[in-house]
Structures are given as C-alpha cells and as structure tokens.
Amino acid sequence: MNWWTYLLRRTGLAAVQVVAIEILTFVILRVIPANPAYRIAGFDISPEHIAQIKAELGLDKSIWAQLWDYAVDVAHGRLGTSLSTGDPVWHDLQQRVPATLELVVIGLGLAILIGVPLGVWSARRRGGAVGRTVRTYSLLAGSQPDYWWGLVLVFVFFVVLKIAPGPVGQLGIGAVPPNHVTGSYLLDSLLTGNWTSLGSVLSQLVLPIATVVIVYMAPILKMTTSSYQDAMRADSIRLLRASGVGESRIALITLRLAAQPIVTTIGICSVFLLGGAALIETVFGWNGAAQYAVNATVTSDYAAMQGVVLVIAALAALAYLLTDVVQMLLDPRVRSGHAE
C-alpha cells in the first residue's frame, strides 16, 4: 500500500468514526428522559405549551426525521442555536474551542518536551537516584486525578504563597480581552501587540498548564523509560556499541527504536485530555469548550451538546490520525499492518 492510499483510507476511517459518534450522540439525547421544554418555560408548564415548544424545536418529529434535518444543517455549516446562550452554536464554539486548545497544545507540548528527554536520561541511569525519582514521580502523579492536582496548585500558590493569580479564567480581574483574531487570547494578544493582555494571559496560564504537565507527563515519562530500556537491549544496539559507534549516535538510534510506543502514548494522552479537560477548566474557571459541554448537559441544551461532541470527536480523530501517520513514518511496515 503506497503512502497516499494509506492516508486516504485512514482519513476515511476517521470521518466514519466522527459520523458514527455524532449519530449515536444524537439518538441517545433523544431517548434519555430529558425535555428542553422545561428548560425554556420551567416545570410549571401545561401539556399544550410543552407540545408547542417541542414543535418549534422540531422535537415532535421522529428521531430519524430529526436526524436527517440535523445532517442537512451540518452539511450547510449550521449547528443550531444554543438554548443557554441564545447564540448560534458555531459562534459559541469559535469563542471557546481555542481556549481548550491552548490548554491541550501548550500543556501536552511541554509534557513531551520535558518527559521524553527525562525518560531517556532515567533509562540510561537505571537504578540510580534519577531512575528512582522518576519512578516515584510517575506513580505519584499518575495516581491522582487532574482536578485534584489543580486544587493543590491553587491552594499552594494562590492561597498560601500568594504568588499566582486566582482561578478566574483566561484573564485576570479587570483585564481587557485582546481584539478577536483567532479566539485564543494568547495568540490574539501576540498578533495585535496587546502586551498588557499578554501579561495577564500568561500569568493565568501558569497553573492550568502546570496541572496538565504534572498529570500527563507521568505516562509519557514512564513509557519513554520503559521503551528506551527495552531498545537498549536490542541486538542491533549491542552490535553498534561493539563496533565503536559513538554514544550520541547510539542514543538517537535507540530513541527511534523506542519511539512507537511513546508516540502511541502521546496520542492516547491527547485524546484523554481533549475529553477530560472539563474538570481542569472547572477548577480554573476556564471558559473553554469542555466547560461549555458541561453547562449544555446540565441544561439539556441539545444543539450545544451535539456541536461540542462533533468538534471534540473531530479533534480526537485528527489526533489519532496524526499518531498513525507518525507511526507509519517511523516504521513503513505499519502501512501494510505487518509491524510486529
């Protein structure tokens, strides 16, 4: 199978996964015992009024008729109107998804930049103080949920030491948001040269990003250490060392041999973080897509929930697609499914 055939097939599979998840979500929302009419008019409402609201929302049709209408709307770029905000869901997502991506991209990027070299260092000093410290950290960080670490950081650095800003969202109290360009306050501050906002954004990012790094660096670090140690025992590495090849070159080759499980772990972490950012956003008052999804669930806001699921599912499918592409680049046998 050549490169383009593999990429086309894998992209098609990702698209099918997103569509299947969206259909399943749509059906589940229609069969669970919840009624948006109560959210709009309250619980002291007559049956006639309920029927009127359901007709206005199109909920009086069969599930499959509603699904067809929704598919037509999505094909035309319409995701409906949120009952909670009164704005188009697509508009809400444009405001909130960039905030979530800030946490995911920056946090996971730092976890990779720190975790992979530290894992290699730990593997090459097996049994030493570094190795014991890494194992202890991996067990400690991985055994507690991310929101717990977020609460600990807020307590230590905001409440006790008073050197970090409060968990009030993406901007400090009284700070003015930068002009909208991408929806990311960090990028918008840089692009518009709003250095006052940039300082506020960076200070607000420190604790949420630290939470992501602490939690998600642990599995990356642990997998890097384990895979690198296994690769160091490979016959090819022993042969290179016996042939007098330099240690720096051997280290790079060993890392490449160990890379596949590390890449897989990073891909899984990115998907978990996309889906699990709600708790981190709740702790820090982060106005992101995950927080939007929680509010939509509480208020039976069907359009908002469907929109969030669609976007998060697409981002998760993209993350898995990139993981597979990197795997294929590391080992072309993956294209034919013959990798051991």
Side-chain angles (χ1 to χ4, degrees), residues 18-30 57-75 78 306 310:
V18 173
V19 172
I21 291 172
E22 188 65 5
I23 292 174
L24 187 61
T25 302
F26 189 95
V27 173
I28 290 174
L29 289 177
R30 287 342 186 250
L57 297 176
L59 298 176
D60 57 337
K61 301 178 183 178
S62 70
I63 289 180
W64 306 116
Q66 293 178 51
L67 180 59
W68 172 254
D69 292 342
Y70 181 67
V72 171
D73 285 343
V74 171
R78 300 188 295 266
Q306 291 162 184
L310 180 63

Side-chain angles (χ1 to χ4, degrees), residues 36-56:
Y38 292 117
R39 166 74 178 90
I40 296 173
F43 286 93
D44 186 16
I45 180 175
S46 66
E48 293 77 14
H49 198 179
I50 291 178
Q52 179 187 347
I53 293 175
K54 291 181 71 172
E56 291 174 355

Side-chain angles (χ1 to χ4, degrees), residues 164-179:
V168 294
Q170 299 164 263
L171 285 170
I173 296 175
V176 179
N179 294 329

Side-chain angles (χ1 to χ4, degrees), residues 59-265:
L59 298 176
D60 57 337
K61 301 178 183 178
S62 70
I63 289 180
W64 306 116
Q66 293 178 51
L67 180 59
W68 172 254
D69 292 342
Y70 181 67
V72 171
D73 285 343
V74 171
H76 288 83
R78 300 188 295 266
L79 298 179
T81 301
S82 168
L83 297 179
S84 302
T85 66
D87 292 325
V89 172
W90 182 243
H91 173 270
D92 288 344
L93 292 175
Q94 285 180 310
Q95 303 296 316
R96 296 167 183 264
V97 170
T100 298
L101 290 179
E102 277 183 358
L103 289 181
V104 174
V105 174
I106 298 175
L108 197 58
L110 286 175
I112 295 169
L113 288 176
I114 301 171
V116 172
L118 195 56
V120 171
W121 189 19
S122 170
R124 295 176 67 86
R125 288 160 176 78
R126 185 180 182 184
V130 174
R132 290 193 295 272
T133 303
V134 165
R135 282 196 298 275
T136 302
Y137 162 75
S138 298
L139 288 173
L140 182 62
S143 62
Q144 302 300 328
D146 44 17
Y147 71 88
W148 184 84
W149 283 108
L151 291 172
V152 169
L153 293 180
V154 169
F155 177 75
V156 173
F157 293 100
F158 171 62
V159 177
V160 178
L161 299 178
K162 302 184 187 304
I163 59 175
V168 294
Q170 299 164 263
L171 285 170
I173 296 175
V176 179
N179 294 329
H180 181 89
V181 180
T182 65
S184 162
Y185 282 0
L186 181 61
L187 289 178
D188 290 353
S189 299
L190 288 169
L191 293 174
T192 60
N194 190 337
W195 310 122
T196 303
S197 291
L198 180 62
S200 180
V201 170
L202 289 175
S203 64
Q204 292 298 127
L205 269 171
V206 171
L207 293 187
I209 293 299
T211 303
V212 174
V213 172
I214 288 173
V215 176
Y216 289 91
M217 189 175 74
I220 295 172
L221 180 56
K222 193 170 185 179
M223 180 56 71
T224 301
T225 303
S226 173
S227 300
Y228 197 91
Q229 286 175 344
D230 289 341
M232 288 171 65
R233 291 191 286 267
D235 292 340
S236 56
I237 297 301
R238 292 177 179 173
L239 180 60
L240 288 174
R241 185 166 284 114
S243 302
V245 177
E247 280 300 318
S248 58
R249 181 171 171 76
I250 290 177
L252 289 175
I253 295 173
T254 306
L255 182 59
R256 177 162 184 170
L257 289 177
Q260 283 204 30
I262 300 172
V263 171
T264 301
T265 301

